[in-house]
Amino acid sequence: MSDLDTFRMEARTWLEANCPAEMRTAETSDKDACWGGRNFKFKSEAQKVWLERMVAQGWTVPTWPKEYGGAGLSRKEEIVLLQEMKRINARNPLSSFGIWMLGPALLKFGNEEQKAEHLPPIARGEIRWCQGYSEPGAGSDLASLKTKAEDMGDHYIVNGQKVWTSYADEADWIFCLVRTDNTGKKHHGISFVLFDMASEGVEARPIKLISGRSPFCETFLTDVKVLKKNLLGEEHKGWSIAKYLLTHEREMIGGGNEAARPLHELAAGSLGLEDGKLADPMLRAKIAEAEIDEWAFNLTMKRKLAEAKAGASLGADSSMLKYYGTELNKRKYELMMDATGHEGLEWESDRSNDGKMARSWLRTKGNSIEGGTSEVQLNIISKHILQLPGA
Amino acid sequence: MALVLNEDEVMMRDMAQGFFAEKAPVKALRVLRDTQDETGFDRALWADMAGMGFAGIVVPEEHGGVDMGYLAAGLVAEQMGRNLTASPFLSTAILAATALKHGTDEQKSEWLPKIASGKAVIALALDEGVKHNPRGTATTAEPSGNGFKLNGSKAMVVDGHVADVMIVAARTSGEAGDAEGISLFLVDPKSKGVATERTIMVDSRNAARIDLDDVEVSGDALIGTLDGGMAVLDAVLTAGRGIAAAELLGAGAQAFEDTVAYIKERKQFGQIIGEFQALQHRSSHLYSELEIARSAVIGALTALDEGDEKASAYCAMAKAKLGSVAKLASQEGVQMHGGVGMTDEYDIGLFMKRIRVLQELMGDAHYHMNEFAVANEF
């Protein structure tokens, strides 16, 4: 038996013994997710126990070093662990921008003190992070951001406004892009700072979306004091960290959000079959096409990751994956709405699980806007891959 | 499943790349077309391809092949697609070789070495109507003496007019529309009752109509089991679709790269037209589609080599995807070339023509989308 097989058996045994039964069912809504943080209220004892046990194993962040709360697993072992969790339908113990986004940047760019201070609370789900990137005047053109950080010796004073800050009203800390110099090119003079959302001068107001949900906020920053020890990387050079982090975010948005059930099953259940064929022949063709594209897209995710592992840099191909994945996801949800007809339109009923279909459909419209719009991704491909002039 | 090429595969690709670029570039197809070449491909080139191991690429070593598998064959086909190389690779090295691997020991010993050495051209005579439809086979084979008597008409028989032998699908029981009851026969084109009409297609490549009028074959001409030809055909078409998808990938990628190169040079309104975002975004979209399509080809052919039970479905899915993507690449290519895209002088039109034919061969995207739905019970 290989080491990996041994690890699989160990993981399987441990998960069987430690994952509570209630945590082996599909999440019925995004409210079931555990986000952790100072203000988080567990929905059940099982949810709390499941988090605590996974934290003790270092398995909320399996590949992070042990001293920062991880388990020091290899990428291959992490895949095995995820497969074993999926086998028993175990829920993700902790959803966290700290894990998905800030953590990798801290590991790469942080100094020892910063890593020791911030990584373990992320791993334990004690501190919940949000991302302060976009501003009212800096969306697709993120580098034109204006939130100003004035140098006051041992600290900065930050003034400005952020927007589309995910869950800012529930987060404990923020990683934030600020302008420390506006004399040079726009990509220069951006710094990457961390501060507590409970600091004086921070106010987060939720934005209501077309889906009726409010996962995003406007965040106002008025004379917020940020200690210089909370500057990540070099002053004025935060753009490279931001780009690194956006690449992670793009891979996540591009790849995630898979509907659990194949589209054709949903459609067959909803519309029925005639002579073994979906009752709507036009929709049937579009579903077949979308599912073939999905198969090829999933293979592409695997192929690009394998190439990256073999040493080739993913580079601007993360834009290709983000562009294609989000557009495909939108297409799929349009087809789901077509397939579910009147029922898919229900907004508030138990039968519709509080309009889950309609709200999810609306949510996908943001996929090709957040993390860089589809148009920006196409610009990046034109410039960096095709090397077209003026792009 | 490894989706990244290993060292051997990279070597194979590089070798094929150099070979076709030197020996059979697009201008070689123009010469065949403009001289109205009777064979429709260059026999010396085919002999060279055999020498490189390409003709026997899926033939077992005991029968003189190099047996490198279908992914390797796809890498060769991709380069042929890039150069619009005319050769009997698809008809003989892929379709016929795959069919004959299901033959009797005598059939294998007789034909596989000839395929690998480039000494035989073999055509698959399957389609009859205006669209690909294997189950719709209506050509009949009735028992006669110790053999069979064939009657019917075949269309789109690739390399049919120069074939040394044909593999003919005919119905031995049931009726058109049934999957069961089809049998495959080796037929000598010089037999009495065989009428061959060469039909040069829009891509300047070979095809033929074959009429069979009381054509007698002996009992040992049967490949596979009586009435069970569909099992062999499935294997043959799976391989053919996967390889056609690989050729489409090459043709589509080359059409795209030629187009990007063109819009980096062409000036209008005092600027390089590649600076226009309208063209940049369409180019970037095409780049993305081609990357997705490449994964489909590699994934399908790898599954085929690994004996994955879903390989047949994957090759069909790849054929559907590549048909659509390569078509888009050629259409956008002509449009972005503007007026010169409509001229014979530029290659982009030749790519559009070849891609159109490859789309149709062995089932177009609509055919395979329908098959996909049927297989998934919707």
Side-chain angles (χ1 to χ4, degrees), chain A residues 264 278 284-285 293 295-296 299-300 302-304 306 317 320 323-324 375 378-379 382 386-387 389 391, chain B residues 3-4 264 275 277 280-281 284-285 287-289 291-292 295-296 314 317 321 369-370 372-374 378:
Chain A
H264 70 259
L278 201 62
R284 177 174 179 264
D293 283 351
W295 163 74
L299 280 174
T300 308
K302 275 190 209 162
R303 180 165 72 87
K304 289 293 164 185
D317 267 339
M320 179 272 291
Y323 164 67
Y324 203 92
E375 289 71 21
L378 293 173
N379 285 346
S382 293
L386 304 180
Q387 295 173 348
Chain B
L3 292 164
V4 182
K264 285 181 181 175
E275 290 178 37
Q277 203 174 43
Q280 291 181 349
H281 281 191
S284 294
H285 173 72
Y287 169 81
S288 305
E289 285 285 8
E291 280 296 305
I292 306 298
S295 311
Y314 291 156
M317 288 156 78
K321 182 64 183 161
M369 275 152 54
N370 180 58
F372 173 83
V374 170
F378 75 97

Side-chain angles (χ1 to χ4, degrees), chain A residues 27 29-42 47 51 92-101 121-122 124-130 166-167 170-172 215 252:
Chain A
E27 294 178 7
S29 82
D30 41 359
K31 291 176 199 157
D32 283 347
C34 173
W35 286 92
R38 296 192 289 237
N39 306 317
F40 186 72
K41 304 239 181 336
F42 289 100
Q47 191 184 43
L51 174 63
N92 183 4
L94 182 60
S95 299
S96 159
F97 296 133
I99 293 174
W100 301 327
M101 299 165 77
I122 291 174
R124 293 194 295 263
E126 291 166 1
I127 292 294
R128 181 171 178 179
W129 287 82
C130 63
S166 305
Y167 302 111
E170 294 171 39
D172 305 310
M252 206 173 76

